[in-house]
Amino acid sequence: MNISTEVLHLPLRDPFRIARAEPDRQMTTVIVELEWSGLRGLGEAYPVAYYGETPVTIGVVLPLLAEVVEPLGLPPANATDALEWLAAAERAMDERIGGHHAAKAGLDIALHDAVARGMGIPVRELLGTPEEIPPTDFSIGIDEPAIVAERALAAARFPALKIKVGGTADLETLERVRAIYSGPIRVDANTGWEPEAAAALLPELVRLGVELIEQPFRAHELGRLRWLQERSSLPIVADESAETVDDLDALLGVVQGVNVKLMKCGGVGPGLRMLRRARELGFRTMLGCMEETSVGIAAAAALAGLADWVDLDGNLLLASEPFSGLELDDDCRWRLGSSPGLGVERSGHRGLITTRFGPGSSGVEKSVENLVDQ
Ligand SMILES: [Mg+2]
């Protein structure tokens, strides 16, 4: 098994700020390329420092994961056995090291792409998830209310907007967005609200046609989340409080919805299980993302049929990316075509530094390659 990782720094279209972080003007992500006896797969590991991961931890952890997957032997060529094999790979990774879910997602996505490509079918078909998927919303970061409204106008073709809140002018921002946009508005406070202020805002949110409230309070403050949900006719959706399937039981009776992200839970396999379990438990489900390229977004889109709300817009926030193949329909649904695997190919140059490792390499080799074309 040969794995290359490439750290990509990609500029965003607009600065993107959430309540618990400084504004991003570019994103950093790790692309994983797998080659294994003729199998080929692309994966993505988007490191989020909040969850304890960086490009460096991903670079250190990926070889440990590859070491425990390789002894499983090549994946079988029929869907049922291949899915069992992928689940075994996931268990082996979890036994090797706890946490590090973005690193695990990087390899898990590349394995799903490789297995489905090898069988000549899309990842969605391999998984057997519904073909019919909801449209994605579009997210706008915290900024001056007039600027947020301008960006909302530019994104008015999306059937829902996700507005980041937890800034200093949330109500004015939402008023200005509502003045130019008639669709549902989802608000995401990324842990940045306080209980009394949030409760006071509830009637205004209802009046303004807000559809849901994502993660108003800090991740561990489940009592506060329950307190607000009891007072709110709008669903409260846990994001930072809902990292993996293991977090779901504690959220029962606390919030009405959960936001599942491949980078929080460990990839396509863990994402599929978390969505299924969340639905079994009666949660409404959102499928979200980080500021990912089309590789990560295509992997999540294969699961979108299991989500009530789709928030897969990371690649749409990028000014450019070196991948193509994932297209948005006129009604803002990701097109799940018939291309094998994720249906995403590299269409631009490699990034600055590529790290390769595999059985043939003596430790980790680094090589500097061509500059990104920007
Ligand atoms: Mg969120």
Side-chain angles (χ1 to χ4, degrees), residues 1 35-39 69-77 81-82 85 115:
M1 180 189 289
E35 284 172 28
W36 193 9
S37 298
L39 288 178
V69 172
E70 193 165 21
L72 299 176
L74 285 167
D81 293 342
W85 184 95
V115 165

Side-chain angles (χ1 to χ4, degrees), residues 36 58 62-63 72 81 122 160 163 168 209 218 281 288 337 355:
W36 193 9
I58 286 170
L62 267 171
L72 299 176
D81 293 342
I163 306 294
T168 53
R218 285 187 291 267
L281 291 172
T355 305

Side-chain angles (χ1 to χ4, degrees), residues 303-314:
L303 305 179
L306 298 174
D308 298 309
W309 303 298
V310 170
D311 174 30
L312 293 178
D313 61 348

Side-chain angles (χ1 to χ4, degrees), residues 162 164 188 190 214-215 239-240 259 261:
K162 179 153 146 180
K164 294 291 189 176
D188 185 358
N190 288 105
E214 206 178 311
Q215 198 70 41
D239 179 1
E240 283 85 343
N259 185 346
K261 296 179 181 170

